[in-house]
């Protein structure tokens, strides 16, 4: 089975051809400009490949309500050229194949659940900490959508008194994304996160905010495993700090075999940063089976 996968991001579009085993046979990356410039390039990549279905894991917010007139649209994104863009409709029309559609992070959690470190679990979450923060959720074996889809990057946190940085989220002064995404680290400390590796206070604070968010996700969603990905998590020293602070904040309230074993509860992505594109493959497969 030959499937197409598109991981649509704010800076780049990753296009891949793969199969039902999650194997990626070919992959290209195309910069995200306006739909007029970018979409024809994406379509010409997929058109020659004789795919049976396409899966799109997309930056958001997006409309996932199949009964809505704007199902398959990118909706209120701050990327103005993509606002109200009918991405599913366009690819369906141009390629003539079923098109599966979900958020980028639901794609990643699906990839990890199908082929990665969350295989066999019924509930898990994936959090990306990169240019933004997003949370993909599987509960009882199904991707969580609800009213639209979770926007777990914008949950409100307790800002530490010594932190004088103004959030970079234009909507919230103390949301997870505004305080802890890559650009927030950069804005707070005046340097790219990559170059702050040796500054202990940077990662202490970052781990505190990540841990606060994870405690909230654990309490609300009851995942069996929490998977962390995104550029900021390339700071490998973060993981141990996050586990330590998570334990402190939860303060013994939840006692399960999973929580007793934090090394296997809070983990890094396991698919070599291919979880998103592999999840998009699976979205295409699921649409084909519908
Ligand atoms: P995106 O979120 O745009 O898909 P990434 O997940 O790669 O992309 O996240 C990019 C962000 O991650 C940037 O803010 C960058 O500064 C940060 N980042 C990338 N690599 C590292 C690193 N090794 N250490 C710390 N931060 C990093
Ligand atoms: Zn916010």
């Amino acid at each position: 089975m030959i499937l197409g996968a598109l991981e649509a991001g704010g800076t780049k579009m990753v296009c891949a051809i793969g199969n039902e085993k999650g194997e990626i046979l070919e992959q290209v990356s195309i910069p995200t400009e306006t739909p007029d410039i970018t979409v024809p390039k994406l379509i010409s990549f997929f058109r020659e490949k004789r795919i049976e279905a396409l899966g799109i894991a997309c930056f958001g917010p997006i409309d996932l309500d199949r009964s809505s007139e704007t199902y398959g649209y990118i909706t209120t994104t701050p990327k103005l050229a993509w606002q109200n863009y009918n991405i599913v409709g366009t690819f369906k029309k141009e390629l003539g194949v079923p098109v599966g559609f979900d958020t980028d992070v639901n794609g990643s959690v699906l990839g990890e659940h199908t082929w990665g470190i969350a295989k066999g679990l019924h509930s898990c979450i994936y959090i990306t900490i990169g240019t933004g923060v997003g949370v993909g959720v599987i509960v009882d074996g199904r991707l969580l959508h609800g009213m639209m889809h979770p926007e777990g990057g914008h949950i409100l946190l307790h800002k530490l008194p010594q932190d004088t940085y103004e959030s970079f989220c234009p909507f919230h002064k103390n949301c997870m994304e505004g305080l802890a995404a890559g650009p927030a680290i950069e804005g707070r400390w005046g340097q790219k996160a990559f170059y702050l590796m040796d500054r202990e206070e940077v990662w202490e604070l970052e781990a505190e905010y990540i841990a606060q968010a994870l405690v909230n996700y654990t309490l609300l969603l009851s995942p069996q495993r929490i998977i962390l990905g995104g550029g900021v998590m390339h700071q490998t020293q973060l993981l141990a700090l996050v586990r330590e602070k998570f334990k402190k904040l939860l303060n013994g309230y939840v006692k399960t075999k999973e929580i007793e074993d934090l090394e296997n509860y809070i983990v890094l992505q396991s698919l070599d940063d291919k979880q998103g594109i592999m999840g998009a493959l699976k979205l295409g497969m699921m649409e084909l089976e519908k």
Side-chain angles (χ1 to χ4, degrees), residues 10-25:
T11 52
K12 64 179 196 287
M13 299 280 181
V14 180
C15 304
I17 304 300
N19 62 24
E20 72 284 0
K21 293 181 212 149
E23 291 162 344
I24 305 287
L25 309 168

Side-chain angles (χ1 to χ4, degrees), residues 154 169 171-172 175:
H154 294 266
C169 173
F171 296 91
H172 316 112
C175 75

Side-chain angles (χ1 to χ4, degrees), residues 17 40 60 130 221 223 229 272:
I17 304 300
L221 297 165
D272 210 11

Side-chain angles (χ1 to χ4, degrees), residues 95-125:
L95 300 175
V97 297
V99 176
F101 187 51
D102 216 310
T103 62
D104 43 9
V105 274
N106 265 356
S108 293
V109 77
L110 184 62
E112 291 285 358
H113 185 251
T114 311
W115 290 295
I117 199 158
K119 215 170 145 178
L121 303 181
H122 58 72
S123 300
C124 56
I125 62 176

Side-chain angles (χ1 to χ4, degrees), residues 7 9-12 104 126 128-133 181-186 191-197 203 229-236 238 273:
E7 191 181 8
T11 52
K12 64 179 196 287
D104 43 9
Y126 176 93
T128 184
I129 307 168
T131 308
V133 176
I185 301 175
E186 198 178 318
Q191 222 174 354
K192 283 249 171 246
F194 180 80
Y195 299 110
L196 293 163
M197 203 164 322
W203 307 108
V232 171
M233 289 312 301
H234 290 156
Q235 293 288 325
T236 43
L238 254 181
D273 281 331

